[in-house]
Amino acid sequence: MKILAIGALALTSLLATTALPSAATAQTAGPVNQGPAIPGVCVYFNQRLLAQSTVGASVQARMEQLATEVQGELAPYGTSITNEYQRIQAGGPTVTDADRQALQTRVQEAQLLEQTRENELRYTLSEQRRLISAAVEPLLVTVYQERGCGILIDRESVFILNPAMDVTDAVIERLNTALPSLSFNRLPVPVQQPAQ
């Protein structure tokens, strides 16, 4: 019986996009000759900013705390349901259909609560990322102009590059000053209004 699976798997999936790039995607043994830095071509790696900036680290740490709180909230439901299920299994002929229906209702309620909390965690993380993006955008524009960029390419689209073209460190440094951290709690997901 799958009950309350918001544990480590959900936390991992929520925070996976803020983790450092894996060894498979990171440049480990780049070319000896990196080629020239192409004037006007700049590269930015948002995932590295989220992983290495102080605000990114604070969001990740807080999301881990919130996920732990949710696990603590949901754990008693799982224990109670498991105990009730075992009681029904051992009860034999004394167990009524009402007992089985009550257990089924409790399982459905627990699953609904679990889904609600998971959605709240996802929404909370997306809102924090939105705030970080809002803070990064003007910093990125400033660095773009200072470096004389004619084009800014997403690092995920580039396999190998001359590090002199990467503006990520400059943006992280400025973000650490402008927005060192965020304080937040789990947010309820807004109710979607029906389309008219």
Side-chain angles (χ1 to χ4, degrees):
M1 185 163 34
K2 180 190 173 260
I3 298 175
L4 312 175
I6 188 126
L9 182 61
L11 175 61
T12 301
S13 68
L14 284 173
L15 301 176
T17 56
T18 61
L20 288 172
S22 69
T25 60
Q27 276 184 309
T28 54
V32 175
N33 177 5
Q34 297 172 343
I38 303 169
V41 177
C42 299
V43 177
Y44 169 70
F45 194 16
N46 192 60
Q47 293 303 95
R48 187 161 67 87
L49 176 128
L50 290 173
Q52 295 179 354
S53 65
T54 57
V55 69
S58 78
V59 167
Q60 182 169 344
R62 182 63 179 139
M63 288 304 301
E64 289 171 0
Q65 290 172 346
L66 292 175
T68 299
E69 289 173 11
V70 167
Q71 286 174 329
E73 178 184 358
L74 297 176
Y77 287 93
T79 302
S80 172
I81 289 169
T82 300
N83 291 341
E84 185 64 16
Y85 176 76
Q86 290 170 348
R87 185 191 70 75
I88 288 173
Q89 290 291 14
T94 62
V95 177
T96 66
D97 286 340
D99 292 334
R100 289 184 190 91
Q101 183 59 42
L103 176 61
Q104 182 62 32
T105 300
R106 293 190 63 219
V107 168
Q108 291 171 347
E109 289 170 353
Q111 289 172 336
L112 180 61
L113 179 61
E114 176 185 19
Q115 185 62 47
T116 299
R117 294 298 181 254
E118 187 175 327
N119 289 341
E120 289 172 349
L121 290 173
R122 288 183 196 284
Y123 178 71
T124 300
L125 180 59
S126 71
E127 282 299 295
Q128 303 321 302
R129 287 185 179 155
R130 186 186 60 74
L131 293 171
I132 292 171
S133 292
V136 166
E137 189 173 329
L139 301 174
L140 198 51
V141 168
T142 301
V143 169
Y144 178 92
Q145 292 171 338
E146 289 174 0
R147 295 276 179 102
C149 301
I151 186 172
L152 183 64
I153 301 171
D154 182 358
R155 174 63 177 96
E156 291 188 24
S157 303
V158 177
F159 184 66
I160 299 174
L161 72 132
N162 183 316
M165 297 164 36
D166 191 337
V167 300
T168 309
D169 287 334
V171 178
I172 289 173
E173 183 179 308
R174 292 175 190 205
L175 181 62
N176 287 346
T177 301
L179 185 66
S181 67
L182 288 171
S183 297
F184 57 94
N185 290 312
R186 190 178 69 231
L187 300 172
V189 178
V191 176
Q192 298 290 330
Q193 298 298 323
Q196 295 180 6

